[in-house]
Amino acid sequence: MLTTLKKVPVRFQPALLDALKDYSAAKFFADLNAGVTVGIVAIPLAIGFAIASGVTPLAGLVTAIVAGFLISALGGSRYQIGGPTGAFVPILAGIVATYGVDSLLICSFMAGVILVLMGMAGLGKVIKYIPYPVTMGFTSGIAVIIFVGEIKDFFSLPIEHLEPEFLPKMQQYLEHLGDIHWAAAAVGLGTVLIMVYWPKPWQRYVPGSMVGLVAASLAVQLLHLPVVTIGQKWSLAGGLPAFHAPHLHLNDLALLMRPAMTVALLGAIESLLSAVVADGLTNDKHDSNQELIAQGIANIFSPMFGGIAATGAIARTGTNIRCGARSPVSGIVHALTLLAILLVAAPLANVIPLCALAGVLLVVSFKMGEWHEFARLRRIPRSDALVFLAVFGLTVLIDLPTAVQWGVVLAALLFVKRVSETSEVTALDPAHPASGARPVWADDSWPDGVYLFRIQGAFFFGTADMLETSFRRAGARLRVMVLLCEDVFSMDATGLNALESLHERLHQHHQHLVLCKVGRQPLEVITQSGFLEEIGADNLTNSVEDALRRARGLIQPPV
C-alpha cells in the first residue's frame, strides 16, 4: 500500500502572537530602546532610497512607517525590520523612468498580491534556497548601481536627465568632469568621513549617518554654502498622505506584470535572506511563508498611502538585534518613532543637503556589496563563479529585471547540474557487490543474460542517457535487466519516460525489465502513471535475491 505525503497547510500565525505569550515589562523596555534607535537609523535611509528611486522623500518615510509596521506586526520573524531598501532602487527607478510614479504605486500593489499568493502557496521554503552566487551577484550589482547613481548629487553635477543605463551614465559623468561643485563635494566627503570614523560603541545610540547629516546641514546653513537641499526640490511637510486605493486596469496588469514579478521575487529573496541572517544572530527560527504573506500585505497597503515597495532590511534588522530587541514590538516601535518624527520634525529634513544624503548612500552601497566574493572566485567551483559574474554583469550592464530572470534560470540550471552530478548508473555483478559487505546474492549462481544495474540519486532526464548507455553496454546477450533503485530518492516525468522507453525497447527484443527496492516517491510516480500495471507487479521486487529469482523464472519459465 502506498503511503502519501501529507501537505502541511500554511497557517496565518504572526510571530508577534507567540512573542506576546510571555511578554514582560523588561522585554518592552528592551524593544523600546531598540525600536527608537532603529527608527532614527531608518530616517536617512528611507529618504535617500526614495530619492534614488525617483520619488519624493515623503514616499520613503511613509513606506518605512506603513510597511515597517505591518511587516513587524504580521511577519514570521521576531526581529525583521521592513522598509525601503537599496535592493529596490534600480528596479523602482527604472519603473518611474519608463512608466511614471502612478504606475510604480500600481506595480508595488501588484507585487504585494503576488507575494501573498507565494506565501499562501508555501513557496517561502523554496525561495530561501536560491543559490548563494545568485543572491550575491544581485547584491553586489545593486551596490554598484546605487554607488554610480549617487555620483551626480555627491558632486552636484549639472545633469538634467541622468541616463538609467550604466555605460551611458558613465559617459555623462566623463563629459561633466569639469563641472564638479567643490563645495558640495566637500560637504559630501565630510559626511562620508563622519560615518566611517564615528566610534562603533556610539553607533548603538546615535548612528553615524544621522550625525553626518546633522553636521552637514549645520555647515551649509552657518557657512551659507551654495549647495542644493531637500527643501529646494521637495516640500517635506508633516503628516501621512490620505488613503487612496490604486485604480487597476487590464492594460496596467499586462504592462506592469513583468516589473511587478521582479519586485515580488526580489522582495521575497531580500526579506527571507534578512530573516535567515536574523536567525543566525539570535538562534531563532522564522516562518518563511508567514513572512512572505506579511511582506505582501505591507506592499499592498504601502502604495495606498503614497509609499513604494518594501522588504526586509538586513542592516536595520541587524541593528535592531544588536540594540537588544526581544520581539516584533521593536519593529512596531520603529515605525511609530518614524511617524512621530514625521508629524513633529519633518520640516527639519528640508535643510539636509542632497550631497550629504548622497554621501550616506555611497557608504551604504559600499558596505552592501559583497566585494570579498571577487577574491574568492578562483577558490570556488567554476560554475558558481560564472553564475556570480553573469548575474553581477547583467545587473550592472543591462537591468535588474533581466538579471533577476536570468538569475532564476541560472539557479535552476545550477541545481540541475548539482543533482545530475549525484546521479549514477553502475553495473553490478558478483565481483562488485552493492554494499561494503559481500551480499548473499553474490554467492549464488549468476544467471546468464541477467544484468544488474544500480541507480543512485535523482531519476530524471539526466539519468535517461545513462540508462541508454547501460542498455548498449549489455549488448545482444541481455535477456533480463534488473534495476536496483534503493538509492533513488526522486523521479520526474522525464525519468519515467526514460523508464517506459527502456521497457518498450526491451519488450520489442523479447527482453524483460525487473525493478528492485523502489522507494516511496518513485513508486508513487510509476503507480499513478500506470507503468506498474504495464510491467506487471511480479516484476517489482523487494530484494536483489527476489529480483534474481524472478529473472531466472523469466529466462526459464516453468513447463
Side-chain angles (χ1 to χ4, degrees), residues 65 123 158-159 272 310 334 411 473:
I65 294 168
L123 296 180
I159 302 176
L272 296 182
H334 138 269
R473 186 188 307 164

Side-chain angles (χ1 to χ4, degrees), residues 23-281:
Y23 206 61
S24 63
K27 290 183 178 180
F28 171 74
F29 285 111
D31 285 335
L32 180 64
N33 174 69
V36 172
T37 303
V38 177
I40 295 173
V41 171
I43 295 172
L45 299 179
I47 294 174
F49 289 142
I51 294 175
S53 298
V55 296
T56 66
L58 180 60
L61 290 175
V62 167
T63 304
I65 294 168
V66 176
F69 178 88
L70 292 173
I71 289 171
S72 294
L74 305 177
S77 171
R78 287 174 176 256
Y79 306 99
Q80 184 85 280
I81 299 296
T85 67
F88 278 146
V89 167
I91 179 63
L92 299 188
I95 294 172
V96 171
T98 305
Y99 306 105
V101 175
D102 291 339
S103 294
L104 172 62
L105 302 182
I106 296 174
C107 188
S108 299
F109 178 89
M110 292 170 59
V113 174
I114 295 170
L115 281 167
V116 171
L117 295 177
M118 291 169 65
M120 294 176 63
L123 296 180
K125 295 187 179 298
V126 177
I127 293 174
K128 283 196 304 183
Y129 298 115
I130 288 182
Y132 184 79
V134 175
T135 57
M136 292 305 99
F138 287 151
T139 304
S140 299
I142 290 169
V144 171
I145 293 175
I146 296 174
F147 191 96
V148 171
E150 294 305 311
I151 292 176
K152 171 182 176 293
D153 286 336
F154 186 86
F155 292 107
S156 193
L157 299 177
I159 302 176
E160 184 175 350
H161 174 70
L162 192 63
E163 294 290 341
E165 293 83 10
F166 177 80
L167 294 179
K169 188 179 298 181
M170 296 303 297
Q171 180 65 32
Q172 284 182 301
Y173 289 154
L174 291 175
E175 293 172 354
H176 288 82
L177 281 178
D179 300 325
I180 293 177
H181 193 299
W182 293 108
V187 172
L189 180 61
T191 306
V192 170
L193 292 176
I194 290 175
M195 289 185 64
V196 172
Y197 292 105
W198 187 248
K200 288 186 178 180
W202 297 359
Q203 289 277 6
R204 180 171 179 177
Y205 305 101
V206 183
S209 58
M210 183 59 68
V211 177
L213 290 182
V214 171
S217 301
L218 289 175
V220 169
Q221 296 300 313
L222 295 176
L223 300 177
H224 303 288
L225 298 177
V227 300
V228 181
T229 63
I230 289 178
Q232 292 173 345
K233 298 193 68 173
W234 302 279
S235 177
L236 193 59
L240 282 174
F243 178 88
H244 179 72
H247 298 288
L248 292 176
H249 302 285
L250 292 179
N251 291 337
D252 295 330
L253 295 177
L255 189 66
L256 300 175
M257 182 55 69
R258 180 173 180 261
M261 286 293 298
T262 303
V263 171
L265 184 58
L266 190 61
I269 294 172
E270 187 79 2
S271 63
L272 296 182
L273 180 62
S274 177
V276 169
V277 171
D279 289 349
L281 293 174

